[in-house]
Amino acid sequence: MQSLVACVGLSAAVPRTRLNSSGSRLQGLRASLRNAQPRSGRRALVVQANELNKWADRSNYDEHNNDDWENSQFDRETAALVLKVLTAKATQRLLLQLQELDVFKAQWLTNYCSEHPPSGSNKFLLGLLRQKATTVLDASTATTHTIDPANLAHRIVQIRSEMASTMLKFPKYAEVQTTEVLREHLMTSTYVSGTSTAGAEGGDYKERRGYYRRR
């Protein structure tokens, strides 16, 4: 009888021990989850300032006056970037003209541009204006060619101004390019019916639609 009671007491004590062990394990699991660090894939997205998202600055843009565009940081940076491109293109056009009219001036301006890139915009023009006039002797004809850097700078400014005047048509150009992008997107993403009736009824239709792939 005593042995039976002992066995019953032993069997009753076993589940209690298991419950205590499972409870301690559960508490340990909760503690480990509480102290666990979040996974790298679920971390909060932090957008830092860089060279790309600085263009998203809309400070003073929504409420700026059209006649006073200088109040917008976006407009100022865009105008400076366009001016750099126009200066480089104007210098390129002048070089093409000089190669046909005066090879010596073209060579001198080419050497100057190799050391002072035209993309410097106003800095490039100021440096060109400060250069002193020089003369080059043509040994084959025994003639002297005078190179006036200030004159070249004024010609670049004039060409740049003419190019800038054509930028008034840029909104229309941007609209045409947008239409072209959408047209190409529709052509590649939608079905264009062919001229073959048999092909439209047969397997060629599914192949053009993208439902069928050759093995």
Side-chain angles (χ1 to χ4, degrees):
M1 184 68 178
Q2 293 179 356
S3 61
L4 179 60
V5 172
C7 291
V8 173
L10 181 60
S11 62
V14 171
R16 186 178 304 172
T17 305
R18 292 178 179 176
L19 180 61
N20 292 337
S21 61
S22 62
S24 61
R25 291 177 181 177
L26 182 60
Q27 292 180 358
L29 179 60
R30 290 177 179 177
S32 61
L33 291 176
R34 191 181 303 110
N35 298 328
Q37 297 294 333
R39 294 181 179 180
S40 58
R42 297 184 178 180
R43 292 180 180 177
L45 179 62
V46 179
V47 180
Q48 300 179 354
N50 51 46
E51 293 296 327
L52 294 179
N53 60 32
K54 73 175 184 179
W55 294 98
D57 182 18
R58 296 182 60 89
S59 59
N60 298 327
Y61 184 78
D62 295 330
E63 64 276 5
H64 83 289
N65 187 3
N66 293 330
D67 297 332
D68 191 12
W69 57 270
E70 294 182 355
N71 290 333
S72 171
Q73 179 70 17
F74 176 81
D75 290 340
R76 288 199 302 269
E77 293 180 353
T78 303
L81 181 61
V82 172
L83 198 62
K84 289 182 178 180
V85 176
L86 290 178
T87 305
K89 298 298 292 185
T91 305
Q92 182 182 13
R93 180 176 295 184
L94 179 60
L95 282 173
L96 293 176
Q97 296 176 359
L98 293 176
Q99 289 176 0
E100 297 179 358
L101 301 176
D102 195 331
V103 181
F104 296 94
K105 290 182 180 180
Q107 185 61 43
W108 185 93
L109 184 58
T110 301
N111 295 337
Y112 181 82
C113 291
S114 62
E115 299 178 359
H116 308 83
S119 58
S121 188
N122 293 339
K123 182 179 179 181
F124 166 78
L125 293 174
L126 287 174
L128 192 58
L129 288 169
R130 293 167 184 168
Q131 294 293 319
K132 296 181 179 180
T134 182
T135 57
V136 178
L137 177 63
D138 186 2
S140 60
T141 60
T143 57
T144 303
H145 297 268
T146 302
I147 299 175
D148 186 5
N151 179 263
L152 297 177
H154 285 294
R155 294 175 65 177
I156 293 175
V157 170
Q158 182 179 1
I159 297 175
R160 186 178 71 173
S161 299
E162 295 176 356
M163 289 183 172
S165 62
T166 61
M167 294 296 292
L168 297 176
K169 301 179 182 179
F170 185 78
K172 181 63 177 179
Y173 173 77
E175 182 180 354
V176 172
Q177 293 301 314
T178 302
T179 304
E180 183 66 18
V181 169
L182 296 177
R183 185 183 67 82
E184 292 185 5
H185 173 67
L186 291 176
M187 290 181 61
T188 56
S189 61
T190 60
Y191 168 72
V192 180
S193 60
T195 57
S196 176
T197 305
E201 296 177 355
D204 293 341
Y205 170 77
K206 293 184 178 181
E207 185 176 353
R208 290 198 302 271
R209 287 287 293 175
Y211 298 127
Y212 173 78
R213 292 184 180 178
R214 298 183 181 271
R215 293 183 179 180

